[in-house]
């Protein structure tokens, strides 16, 4: 009897060891996705007037990228790219989806949440969704087990975004409903005052912490997509008036606090060493709002443009025991790379649908001798290919944009933009000229020829209305409700 008991005990110990080893192979993953945060809005990227100690500590203990890009420089398209691993125009996704439209991510697309879920992960989304607000397109139908947040941007409401007062009839947003707060598939409340906006960062953070506490014994994936710092800006009393940069600085300080709360929960649950945390933004700053907007950190222009300030974003990853501490990666990377990269890390599968993301695990591990991503496509507008980057070179094609290079707004009041257009192609050396001010196209015809090979392939597959190609041969349909 004693021998049998010892044998059973040994088996139990062996199983526990195997489960422990399996757990280590399946790291938890948290993606913190900020709204409208510019390249220069964090201390580790040069921000002044406020501090971001938790984010800076994460960079010191992990890896910071200096050439990381979103799929497009605007909300809905950027998020669709992260979730599907595709350039948004491949899945026929527009820049911004307004409330009530009958479109969203096609159910035939395979999301990053579905990939994690199929590998036994618990999955949750907290915060801003904005890739379709009809039930068919909400997070629970896209691979997430839990959701609490807003179905779209926090400025899609019938109120003044400074005072919170109801807009007058005739205003373009007068007929919008109050902002719905959604849990699962159901509306559980409304955001209808600036005080409600002030609570959003804390609300999302508390929900994420609660999810971590409840699921610490199993692998999980958290997509924490903050509504801030999109206007209207909201910040709790904990941080109101704390920065030297006004309300936007206060907001960033609270977002830094939020990351600190996430890290605290990981540490208390003793899973910090087995959790990958990513901190990044959906696009560049909305510069029209002056001190209610962030900084592009010296890059040209901002959100909704194909210049660097619109599409290049801060990106920090901490993967304990894997990412070398305090390293800086200058290789190209993109949010569309996260799906295939994490599929490789956790041995997940990929869809049969073609995607545009590539596996950049080697960069996360500090192997900078590799360059898994060779180029970046700058699509924007109604399927316009405005630029292509290859290595350190960026070729900008003739296109129109709305420039921020005019007097900005202030205290949340919109300052407007001015129409601009480039009449000829321009080439910029991103190593020496990240501000894109000095055209060197005449000196490097061979570089232009190399980049045009990439551009012509993209135009064939994905289209380019700048040259009269409405649709590419490899575009797929967006999800619709008949």
């Amino acid at each position: 009897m004693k021998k049998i008991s010892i044998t059973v005990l040994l088996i139990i110990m062996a199983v526990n060891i195997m489960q422990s080893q399996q757990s280590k192979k399946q790291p938890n993953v948290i993606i913190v996705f900020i709204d409208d945060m510019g390249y220069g809005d964090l201390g580790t990227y040069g921000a002044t007037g406020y501090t971001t100690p938790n984010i800076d500590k994460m960079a010191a203990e992990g890896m910071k990228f200096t050439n990381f890009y979103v799929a497009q420089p605007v909300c809905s398209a950027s998020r669709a790219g992260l979730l599907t691993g595709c350039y948004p125009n491949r899945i026929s996704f527009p820049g911004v989806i307004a409330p009530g439209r009958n479109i969203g991510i096609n159910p035939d697309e395979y999301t990053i949440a579905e990939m994690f879920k199929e590998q036994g992960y618990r999955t949750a989304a907290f915060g801003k969704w904005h890739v379709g607000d009809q039930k068919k397109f909400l997070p629970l139908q896209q691979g997430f087990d839990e959701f609490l947040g807003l179905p779209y941007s926090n400025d899609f409401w019938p109120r003044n975004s400074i005072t919170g007062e109801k807009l007058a009839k005739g205003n373009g947003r007068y007929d919008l409903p109050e902002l719905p707060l959604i849990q699962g598939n159901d509306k559980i409340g409304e955001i209808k005052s600036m005080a409600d906006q002030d609570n959003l960062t804390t609300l999302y953070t508390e929900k994420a912490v609660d999810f971590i506490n409840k699921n610490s014994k199993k692998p999980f994936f958290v997509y924490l997509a903050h509504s801030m710092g999109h206007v209207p800006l909201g910040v709790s009393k904990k941080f109101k008036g704390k920065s030297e940069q006004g309300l936007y600085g206060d907001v960033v300080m609270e977002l830094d606090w939020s990351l600190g709360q996430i890290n605290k929960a990981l540490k208390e649950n003793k899973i910090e060493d087995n959790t990958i945390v990513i901190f990044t933004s959906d696009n560049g700053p909305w510069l029209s709002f002056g001190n209610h907007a962030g900084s592009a950190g010296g890059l040209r222009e901002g959100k909704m443009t194909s210049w660097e300030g619109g599409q290049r974003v801060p990106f920090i990853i901490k993967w304990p025991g894997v990412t070398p501490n305090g390293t800086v990666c200058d290789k190209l990377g993109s949010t569309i790379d996260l799906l295939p990269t994490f599929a490789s890390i956790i041995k997940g599968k990929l869809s049969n649908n073609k995607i545009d993301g590539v596996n950049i695990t080697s960069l996360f591990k500090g192997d900078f001798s590799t360059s898994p991503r060779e180029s970046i496509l700058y699509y924007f507008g109604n399927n316009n290919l405005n630029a292509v980057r290859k290595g350190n070179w960026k070729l900008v094609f003739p296109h129109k944009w709305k420039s921020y290079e005019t007097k900005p707004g202030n205290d949340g009041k919109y300052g407007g933009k001015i129409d601009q257009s480039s009449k000829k192609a321009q080439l910029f050396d991103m190593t020496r000229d990240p501000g894109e001010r000095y055209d060197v196209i005449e000196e490097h015809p061979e570089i232009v020829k190399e980049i045009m090979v990439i551009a012509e392939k993209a135009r064939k597959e994905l289209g380019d209305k700048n040259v009269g190609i409405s649709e590419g041969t490899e575009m797929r349909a967006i999800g619709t409700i008949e």
Side-chain angles (χ1 to χ4, degrees), residues 15-72:
V15 168
N16 287 338
I17 291 171
M18 289 175 63
Q19 288 178 340
S20 176
Q21 290 173 342
Q22 180 65 22
S23 175
K24 290 181 179 178
K25 292 177 183 177
Q26 297 287 75
N28 308 306
V29 176
I30 300 172
I31 297 177
V32 182
F33 208 43
I34 309 301
D35 203 342
D36 288 1
M37 176 172 276
Y39 187 80
D41 284 342
L42 302 174
T44 187
Y45 283 88
T48 59
Y50 55 85
T51 59
T52 53
N54 294 298
I55 299 168
D56 297 349
K57 184 173 185 286
M58 179 178 167
E61 296 175 346
M63 180 181 295
K64 174 177 76 173
F65 278 67
T66 57
N67 287 290
F68 204 90
Y69 293 82
V70 290
Q72 272 198 30

Side-chain angles (χ1 to χ4, degrees), residues 93-379:
F93 221 84
V96 175
I97 297 182
R101 292 196 63 188
N102 291 329
I103 57 174
I105 292 180
N106 194 313
D108 291 337
E109 299 298 337
Y110 187 66
T111 70
I112 191 170
E114 289 170 326
M115 186 277 295
F116 276 112
K117 192 169 182 177
E118 288 189 1
Q119 294 303 306
Y121 278 64
R122 289 285 296 170
T123 58
F126 302 111
K128 174 179 172 178
W129 183 239
H130 212 178
V131 288
D133 65 351
Q134 304 301 308
K135 180 178 178 180
K136 178 179 178 179
F137 307 122
L138 290 176
L140 266 59
Q141 286 65 251
Q142 303 292 345
F144 289 98
D145 296 311
E146 295 186 22
F147 170 60
L148 182 132
L150 304 183
Y152 35 72
S153 293
N154 65 325
D155 64 334
F156 280 121
W157 66 340
R159 297 182 174 276
N160 182 291
S161 289
I162 303 173
T163 66
E165 295 176 350
K166 191 78 165 66
L167 294 170
K169 193 168 185 178
N171 184 288
R173 300 198 174 186
Y174 170 82
D175 292 324
L176 286 175
E178 299 288 5
L179 277 169
L181 182 65
I182 306 294
Q183 183 164 1
N185 289 319
D186 303 315
K187 187 174 86 168
I188 61 168
E190 293 179 336
I191 306 300
K192 50 186 179 181
S193 70
M194 293 307 298
D196 292 338
Q197 296 270 3
D198 288 344
N199 188 49
L200 287 176
T201 299
T202 297
L203 174 65
Y204 301 157
T205 303
E206 290 175 347
K207 286 294 182 180
V209 167
D210 183 60
F211 180 85
I212 292 169
N213 290 337
K214 289 179 178 178
N215 293 278
S216 62
K217 304 301 182 185
K218 61 194 79 170
F220 61 76
F221 168 57
V222 174
Y223 173 55
L224 176 56
H226 282 288
S227 293
M228 302 302 152
H230 196 290
V231 293
L233 297 180
V235 65
S236 71
K237 293 179 181 179
K238 299 187 294 292
F239 291 94
K240 190 165 288 186
K242 297 295 184 182
S243 83
E244 298 173 9
Q245 291 285 5
L247 187 54
Y248 186 83
D250 299 347
V251 165
V252 177
M253 291 180 70
E254 185 162 33
L255 292 169
D256 179 81
W257 164 86
S258 173
L259 180 67
Q261 295 300 110
I262 297 296
N263 289 333
K264 180 182 178 183
L266 296 176
K267 190 170 185 179
E268 289 177 348
N269 285 285
K270 297 181 172 54
I271 54 175
E272 185 179 24
D273 290 341
N274 194 39
T275 303
I276 301 172
V277 182
I278 283 173
F279 188 98
T280 189
S281 173
D282 71 336
N283 48 245
W286 205 348
L287 297 173
S288 295
F289 290 97
N291 65 353
H292 276 224
S295 165
L299 302 178
R300 186 172 178 178
E301 298 285 7
K303 172 180 177 174
M304 294 188 287
T305 78
S306 295
W307 302 101
E308 289 298 285
Q311 206 159 328
R312 195 194 301 197
V313 294
F315 182 92
I316 302 170
I317 177 171
K318 180 183 175 184
W319 185 0
V322 179
T323 50
N325 291 359
T327 49
V328 177
C329 179
D330 64 1
K331 300 290 185 177
L332 297 181
S334 173
T335 47
I336 63 177
D337 299 332
L338 296 180
L339 171 53
T341 299
F342 283 122
S344 173
I345 290 170
I346 71 168
K347 305 297 188 293
K349 74 171 189 178
L350 292 176
S351 168
N352 291 327
N353 289 335
K354 183 174 181 178
I355 66 172
D356 301 290
V358 298
N359 180 5
I360 60 172
T361 307
S362 59
L363 300 182
F364 290 170
K365 292 181 177 181
D367 182 4
F368 300 153
S369 65
T370 64
S371 297
R373 171 160 292 283
E374 297 181 352
S375 63
I376 296 288
L377 304 180
Y378 298 72
Y379 272 97

